[in-house]
Amino acid sequence: MNISTKGKALVTGASTGIGAVYADRLAKRGYDLILVARNGDRLNALANTIKQQTGRAVSVVAADLNNKADLSSIEDILRNDTSISLLVNNAGIGSVASVLDSGADDMEAMISLNITALTRLTYAVAPAFAARGAGTIVNISSVVGIAVEALNGVYSASKSYVLSFGHALQRDLADKGVRIQTVLPAATATEFWDVAGYAPQKTKPTTMSAADLVDAALAGLDQGELVTIPALQDDADWKRWEADRRSLAPKFANGIPAPRYGIEHDAV
Ligand code: NAP
């Protein structure tokens, strides 16, 4: 086994689905790996396969990112292991249930994984990357972060958070040599749909394979994309939407309510 010139990639949610494909592809690109998820048996099986196929060093940490102590141990790894050069914040769960068919405790657990864990892991590694002037964070969002009416509202909102957070991270970290890529998969054929409560989505013609999704996302990373949406055929659609969003910002700097509200202006 030779020393990796790419460093180590830590991939969350690596036991199956999109995360497992990231693990495979990153090892084939020359990264050593730290694989994180709850199911240690699955992680070990994947790690052994990847080690045999690529000769890369692969370690496994069985951790529940909704458990504070487990999450904290992954944060420590990200803070202290100076060979980590890439974090893939991929672990996430979804739901198709409406607000009336889902419970607040389940929604809190979803927020804890999709938002809190992703945020804490980013906060753990970002200062280390910034201090070294190098490093990449890949955050897995979803197209429902934009098409927010499609699935469960908390899930969609959690993915809007990932997209918004990514924009702010790019603002804060770009000049520190740290790259942020936000990936927005559309429907992808993984166990996500079994957990989310709509298994038939896995075999629909509009659903992408996890392999295609990750290969396209890594191609987008190579091309320097900040936001990668593999299913969106015409990149001009995203660019137009994003330019419109950004063009609104200066129009908010206004101390006078819009005339449509008929307010008598009271200056500060
Ligand atoms: P998946 O096949 O269900 O994989 C989810 C991964 O997250 C698994 O490795 C799972 O492993 C891990 N995980 C779940 N809960 C965890 C916890 N509490 N602590 C640690 N790890 C946990 O789903 P996927 O499609 O690959 O999803 C990956 C990401 O893509 C998610 O963020 C998802 O929101 C996003 N995404 C998916 C789709 C899609 O259609 N599939 C579309 C858009 C975005 P363990 O069970 O072993 O913990």
Side-chain angles (χ1 to χ4, degrees):
M1 194 175 305
N2 50 345
I3 301 288
S4 171
T5 53
K6 293 273 183 79
K8 244 182 240 165
L10 188 148
V11 183
T12 69
S15 62
T16 184
I18 291 168
V21 179
Y22 263 109
D24 172 76
R25 300 304 198 262
L26 291 173
K28 287 175 178 157
R29 284 173 168 233
Y31 286 89
D32 291 334
L33 298 175
I34 304 173
L35 305 181
V36 177
R38 291 168 302 182
N39 190 322
D41 290 343
R42 275 181 148 184
L43 288 177
N44 281 317
L46 179 67
N48 288 335
T49 305
I50 291 175
K51 279 190 255 187
Q52 274 167 18
Q53 288 178 352
T54 66
R56 300 268 40 114
V58 186
S59 60
V60 156
V61 186
D64 180 347
L65 296 176
N66 276 347
N67 173 293
K68 232 176 170 8
D70 284 6
L71 178 57
S72 178
S73 71
I74 307 301
E75 290 173 55
D76 284 344
I77 293 170
L78 288 166
R79 268 188 220 103
N80 299 323
D81 185 340
T82 54
S83 63
I84 294 175
S85 57
L86 171 62
L87 166 64
V88 183
N89 265 319
N90 164 75
I93 48 167
S95 166
V96 298
S98 80
V99 64
L100 298 180
D101 298 325
S102 49
D105 288 345
D106 286 344
M107 297 301 102
E108 188 178 352
M110 191 190 292
I111 291 168
S112 163
L113 181 63
N114 295 6
I115 295 181
T116 307
L118 177 142
T119 304
R120 291 197 66 98
L121 297 182
T122 301
Y123 266 76
V125 86
F129 283 172
R132 278 177 250 145
T136 300
I137 302 172
V138 175
N139 286 334
I140 307 300
S141 172
S142 166
V143 293
V144 304
I146 296 172
V148 291
E149 291 84 0
L151 303 178
N152 169 272
V154 175
Y155 177 66
S156 301
S158 75
K159 294 301 177 176
S160 303
Y161 171 92
V162 177
L163 178 58
S164 299
F165 187 45
H167 289 314
L169 289 170
Q170 284 151 11
R171 179 203 59 202
D172 292 347
L173 296 172
D175 68 351
K176 310 277 187 303
V178 184
R179 285 202 55 195
I180 309 293
Q181 182 199 28
T182 308
V183 178
L184 279 64
T188 308
T190 71
E191 293 170 16
F192 170 91
W193 292 101
D194 302 293
V195 177
Y198 187 56
Q201 183 66 50
K202 287 186 289 185
T203 52
K204 293 205 168 178
T206 49
T207 297
M208 193 177 285
S209 71
D212 282 359
L213 182 275
V214 174
D215 287 338
L218 286 171
L221 185 67
D222 293 340
Q223 290 166 21
E225 284 186 347
L226 303 180
V227 175
T228 296
I229 314 176
L232 185 68
Q233 301 297 305
D234 187 353
D235 189 34
D237 288 334
W238 162 257
K239 288 192 169 131
R240 193 169 41 247
W241 191 80
E242 180 61 1
D244 282 351
R245 184 184 71 79
R246 286 179 192 252
S247 76
L248 275 180
K251 299 180 186 174
F252 298 139
N254 206 329
I256 305 170
R260 66 181 172 280
Y261 299 115
I263 306 285
E264 206 170 307
H265 174 47
D266 186 8
V268 288

